[in-house]
């Protein structure tokens, strides 16, 4: 066991003495040491209940003969960090989380890891640590929030953001906004749509790093506690059989995850986190994979924000395993991949079935014939950009309009509030990329304001930043190269015509190359000023969005 280096032999008497000071007996110290990373804190609603989940994990580990050793990690609530400087810290926190798990695991010679998480950057950060460390590991989610109910209609966090937009144009009073605010988030769990957190929790299940049910069992259900106990037992099996994350995180497993993502219509942020996780696992991953698989895998689940269903509906319909069984039956999944259960994908999905064919549609009756995400390229995004095409209105799938150019999210939102954005415009928000922002902020506030104002079917938004999984409309992010690297988005001027053709996977600026070359020769480097030593260091070493914004 790895822990032997910290506990075996006469020379480790001081080490054992320190363990005894923590209350551990000799027979406990002899057990395998299982690190339990707990992302609990008191501000993220998806994490406020994680002590309960961790207690269940530890009970499972202890019952199966291991010694659970809990330690904390940080976490940012993207919703609370939205639309101010706090959002600059969200994506960079992913690497801090990965590093902190590595530090604790290496320093204390853990034999295995259970990573208890739930929200946006915390999930991939922990998974990346598992891939980098390559000790037996699995991920346990705290589970999704239930939807709220208001006047008989389901509401979620995105409803609140969009009601802000309605309030701006006089379609909602302050009293109505307060009603939505009070109803939308009824309790603990990751926000209830197919937003980034729930998408990534489903990705952990699809990759095989999480147990079946990880992505969809609601946070408040007793089944979530049972899953956590099962995870504690499962990690002991992985340690016994020496099944490591890189045995699970193969190229085929990533192809499975992309297929599931596209069928679900998941968050655009998977185009950041899956490449970053693949990088940590030593697996080659190009974002063009989304288009290659998306041409074969249809969009089968119409989930909020693009559709009306929520995660609890997906759970009741059979969950990720039922969706995977349907994809496998169509030859769209690799069934031989090993998973955290110790079994293959094919063994896990045996017996899984779809219980609601509207929530998980059959392959011959999809919501869309191509997958939920698309990678666009062209003269505005030579290295790629990403859009959740399943959440784009049909009339905006092909669009041409004049650019309205802003060098920060704040300036763009001020223009939206002042009613200066007109039907047909293409809103360009730049210098919000990994280096330029720094930190590649999410743009949920402007996208949801436009949707609430009824302009998601008339206005496109393009950025080298990124979007929340709750964004809908013609929202195109991760434009690479970013403006801070003098990508073409830095050369766009007010009034330039922008062409968007999502079916053709094209994104172009309709300005001749000679003029763009003249602009590039006159361009002066610009990055948003930021008073943070951490963000300044991040800015120096981060890569572009198309590479997952990993650190070099």
């Amino acid at each position: 066991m790895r822990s032997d280096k910290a506990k075996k032999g006469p020379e480790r008497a001081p080490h054992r003495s320190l363990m005894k000071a923590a209350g551990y007996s000799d027979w406990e110290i002899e057990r395998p040491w299982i690190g339990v990373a707990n992302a609990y804190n008191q501000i993220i609603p998806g994490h406020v209940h994680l002590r309960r989940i961790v207690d269940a994990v530890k009970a499972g580990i202890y019952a199966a003969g291991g010694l659970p050793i809990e330690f904390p990690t940080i976490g940012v609530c993207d919703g609370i960090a939205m639309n101010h400087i706090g959002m600059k810290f969200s994506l960079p926190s992913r690497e801090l989380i990965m590093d902190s798990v590595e530090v604790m695991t290496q320093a204390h010679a853990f034999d295995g890891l259970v990573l208890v998480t739930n929200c946006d950057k915390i999930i991939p950060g922990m998974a990346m640590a598992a891939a980098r460390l390559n000790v037996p590991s699995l991920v346990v989610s705290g589970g999704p929030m239930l939807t709220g109910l208001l006047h008989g209609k389901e509401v979620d966090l995105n409803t609140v953001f969009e009601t802000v937009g309605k309030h701006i144009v006089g379609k909602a009073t302050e009293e109505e906004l307060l009603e939505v605010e009070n109803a939308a988030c009824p309790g603990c769990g990751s926000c209830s749509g197919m937003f980034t957190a729930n998408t990534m929790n489903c990705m952990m299940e699809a990759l095989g790093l999480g147990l079946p049910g990880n992505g969809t069992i609601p946070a408040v259900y007793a089944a979530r506690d049972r899953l956590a106990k099962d995870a504690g037992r499962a990690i002991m099996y992985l340690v016994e059989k020496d099944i490591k994350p890189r045995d699970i995180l193969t190229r085929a497993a990533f192809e499975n995850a992309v297929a599931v993502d596209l069928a679900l219509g998941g968050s655009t942020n998977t185009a950041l986190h899956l490449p970053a996780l693949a990088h940590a696992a030593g697996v080659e991953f190009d974002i063009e994979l989304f288009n290659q698989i998306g041409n074969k895998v249809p969009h089968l689940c119409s989930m909020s924000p693009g559709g009306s269903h929520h995660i609890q509906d997906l759970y009741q319909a059979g969950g990720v395993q039922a969706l995977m069984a349907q994809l496998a039956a169509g030859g769209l999944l690799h069934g031989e991949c090993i998973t955290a259960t110790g079994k293959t994908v094919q063994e896990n999905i045996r017996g899984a079935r779809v219980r609601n064919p509207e929530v998980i549609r059959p392959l011959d009756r999809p919501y869309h014939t191509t997958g939920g995400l698309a990678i666009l390229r062209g003269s505005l995004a030579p290295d790629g950009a990403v859009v959740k095409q399943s959440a784009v209105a049909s009339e905006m799938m092909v669009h041409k309009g004049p650019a309205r150019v802003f060098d920060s999210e704040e300036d763009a939102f001020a223009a939206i509030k002042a009613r200066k954005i007109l039907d047909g415009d293409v809103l360009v928000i730049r210098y919000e990329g990994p280096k330029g922002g720094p930190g590649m902020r999410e743009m949920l506030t402007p996208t949801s304001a436009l949707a609430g104002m009824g302009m998601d079917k008339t206005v496109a938004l393009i950025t080298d930043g990124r979007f929340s999984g709750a964004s809908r409309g013609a929202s195109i992010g991760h434009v690479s190269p970013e403006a801070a690297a003098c990508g073409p988005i830095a050369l766009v001027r007010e009034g330039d015509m922008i062409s968007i053709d999502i079916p053709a996977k094209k994104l172009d600026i309709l300005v001749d190359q000679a003029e763009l070359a003249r602009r590039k020769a006159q361009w002066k480097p610009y990055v948003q000023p930021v008073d943070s030593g951490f963000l300044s260091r991040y800015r120096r070493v981060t890569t572009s969005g198309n590479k997952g914004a990993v650190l070099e």
Side-chain angles (χ1 to χ4, degrees), residues 10-34:
E11 68 278 10
R12 294 295 183 255
H15 304 60
R16 294 191 297 272
S17 182
L18 288 167
M19 290 292 287
K20 290 174 181 178
Y24 298 117
S25 299
D26 284 319
W27 57 270
E28 290 178 302
I29 295 169
E30 290 173 1
R31 291 178 166 206
W33 291 2
I34 309 299

Side-chain angles (χ1 to χ4, degrees), residues 203 206-207 251-266 270-271 274-275 285-295 297-298 327 332-333 371-373:
M203 291 300 94
L207 284 164
R251 168 72 180 195
F254 279 99
E255 291 180 1
N256 283 350
V258 171
V260 172
D261 185 21
L262 294 170
L264 287 171
T270 55
L274 289 179
F285 189 113
D286 189 288
I287 58 170
E288 194 61 30
L289 188 62
F290 285 94
N291 284 345
Q292 294 167 5
I293 294 178
N295 289 332
V297 173
L327 293 173
L332 298 172
L333 220 58
L373 298 186

Side-chain angles (χ1 to χ4, degrees), residues 108-172:
H108 302 105
F110 295 145
D111 298 299
L113 285 171
V114 179
L115 305 158
V116 183
T117 176
N118 211 23
C119 291
D120 294 30
K121 309 312 154 309
I122 304 97
I123 304 159
M126 287 197 177
M128 289 160 66
R132 181 196 282 179
L133 289 160
N134 204 34
V135 301
S137 307
L138 58 79
V139 175
V140 177
S141 158
M145 184 186 295
L146 297 176
T147 53
L149 276 176
L150 182 63
H151 306 310
K153 291 181 63 176
E154 289 187 323
V155 290
D156 58 31
L157 180 67
N158 197 43
T159 313
V160 189
F161 276 98
E162 292 193 2
T163 306
V164 171
K166 292 180 180 179
H167 180 257
I168 290 171
V169 296
K171 293 180 179 178

